[in-house]
């Protein structure tokens, strides 16, 4: 098990320009914890507000139809965020724009574009690249199971070449539109050298799925990534009650993504945008607290004879995966405090069996080749007390004195 990395509490990031709401000032560079609380809210005091408003309108009145037509034409040309009042919900929403602004600040990118889910966000990126004739994708396993399936099945007309990080440069083609990596990866928590990968990409955009690390632990744009993807359902929302996705990127790319969002309708509901903005305000506190507990649990699991291997990233974080010597399904069924459920990043601790759930859709041979064994269990550590969590895991893992013959028999049965 690797020693976890603790993000410096005083680390600062560059401020990005607000993406979509009117008259919001650009803030100076501030500490991450400060940005998490204040980004996207700079205009509230001037409006006499403390909490951000929720704009639930789907359409907006405008008596000047000629001016409205000109604004829609401008959007059709480059997808730029509209100046002035909103037009229609698929073109943009002020509440969602606040979240986009805040997330871009935290990731250190020019802007961000939010979607109805993480898969909708990834789909929009693939469609945007395909629209300009760049349908080939180079990807590194493991990825989230549905991301893997989307690429492998070619459902959006894309073609994928799977490779390891060292093979990225050789896998590039003239029609390569994207290189995709996830680090730490789902569910093995494997890490890649993002700076080296970005260098290998050359002029091809690198997309990094940063869902597990969040900008609290890692900012891929600082290491050369052009696009940063989040399943915002996870840590950004943080409470298991909102589904969303977001891509942090440059303004030119964002314009294309807004056009895809408008055409396909993969928009984020304003209430979800509000909940995400609220979730960001506690993101640094939640991630650091859960990461400390996860590091302790990883250390205890690594020393436990019932556990064959523990995966915990050098970067740290709140995710732990481990391979048991016994039956992983018994562990899932044996927890009482921990929630046996898919997803991750919530305030409560979740546990699941990737080979049965999140990565079931991936071909079994590909799954195992990526390190997702049938005995792997994934743990998303929440904010509970570490001793309570360990007591639950300890009980679920079963008796420590299991006979070698029983273990051997279980191994045979799992093959």
């Amino acid at each position: 098990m690797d020693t976890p990395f603790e993000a410096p509490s005083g680390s600062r990031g560059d401020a990005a320009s607000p993406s979509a709401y009117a008259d919001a000032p650009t803030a100076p560079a501030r500490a991450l914890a400060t940005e998490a609380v204040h980004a996207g809210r700079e205009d509230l005091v001037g409006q006499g507000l403390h909490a951000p408003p929720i704009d639930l309108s789907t359409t907006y009145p405008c008596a000047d139809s000629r001016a409205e037509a000109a604004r829609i034409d401008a959007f059709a040309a480059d997808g730029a965020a509209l100046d002035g009042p909103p037009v229609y919900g698929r073109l943009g929403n002020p509440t969602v724009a606040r979240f986009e602004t805040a997330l871009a600040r935290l990731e250190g990118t020019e802007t961000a574009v939010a979607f109805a889910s993480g898969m909708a966000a990834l789909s929009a990126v693939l469609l945007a690249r395909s629209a300009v004739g760049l349908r080939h994708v180079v990807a590194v396993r493991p990825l989230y199971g549905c991301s893997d399936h989307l690429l492998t099945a070619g459902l959006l007309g894309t073609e994928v070449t799977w490779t390891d990080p060292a093979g990225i440069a050789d896998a590039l083609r003239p029609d390569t539109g994207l290189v995709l990596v996830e680090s730490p990866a789902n569910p093995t928590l494997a890490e890649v050298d993002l700076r080296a990968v970005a260098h290998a990409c050359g002029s091809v955009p690198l997309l990094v799925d940063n869902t597990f690390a969040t900008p609290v632990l890692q900012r891929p744009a600082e290491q050369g990534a052009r696009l940063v993807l989040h399943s915002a359902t996870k840590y950004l929302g943080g409470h298991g009650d909102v589904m969303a996705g977001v891509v942090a990127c440059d303004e030119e790319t964002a314009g294309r993504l807004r056009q895809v969002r408008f055409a396909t309708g993969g928009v984020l509901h304003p209430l979800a945008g509000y909940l995400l903005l609220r979730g960001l305000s506690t993101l640094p506190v939640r991630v650091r607290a859960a990461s400390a507990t996860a590091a302790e649990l990883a250390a205890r699991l690594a020393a436990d004879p019932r556990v064959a291997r523990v995966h915990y990233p050098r970067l740290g974080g709140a995710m732990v995966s481990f391979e048991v010597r016994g039956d992983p399904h018994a562990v899932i069924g044996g927890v009482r405090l921990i929630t046996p459920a898919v997803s991750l990043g919530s305030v409560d601790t979740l546990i699941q069996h990737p080979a049965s759930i999140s990565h079931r859709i991936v071909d079994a041979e590909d799954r195992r080749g990526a390190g997702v064994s049938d005995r792997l269990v994934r743990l998303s550590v929440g904010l509970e007390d570490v001793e309570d969590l360990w007591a639950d895991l300890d009980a679920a893992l079963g008796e420590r004195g299991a006979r070698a013959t029983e273990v051997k028999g279980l191994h045979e049965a799992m093959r």
Side-chain angles (χ1 to χ4, degrees), residues 31-44:
L32 179 73
T34 303
E35 289 284 26
V37 172
H38 290 280
R41 303 166 177 85
E42 292 87 350
D43 64 327
L44 294 182

Side-chain angles (χ1 to χ4, degrees), residues 378-400:
R378 193 190 74 186
L379 188 70
S380 169
V381 179
L383 300 181
E384 302 95 336
D385 186 87
V386 66
E387 297 301 336
D388 291 329
L389 291 174
W390 176 247
D392 198 32
L393 280 175
D394 184 39
L397 285 167
E399 294 184 11
R400 292 175 179 267

Side-chain angles (χ1 to χ4, degrees), residues 320-335:
V320 181
S321 61
F322 57 98
E323 299 172 36
V324 297
R325 298 188 187 278
D327 182 359
H329 302 288
V331 177
I332 301 297
V335 295

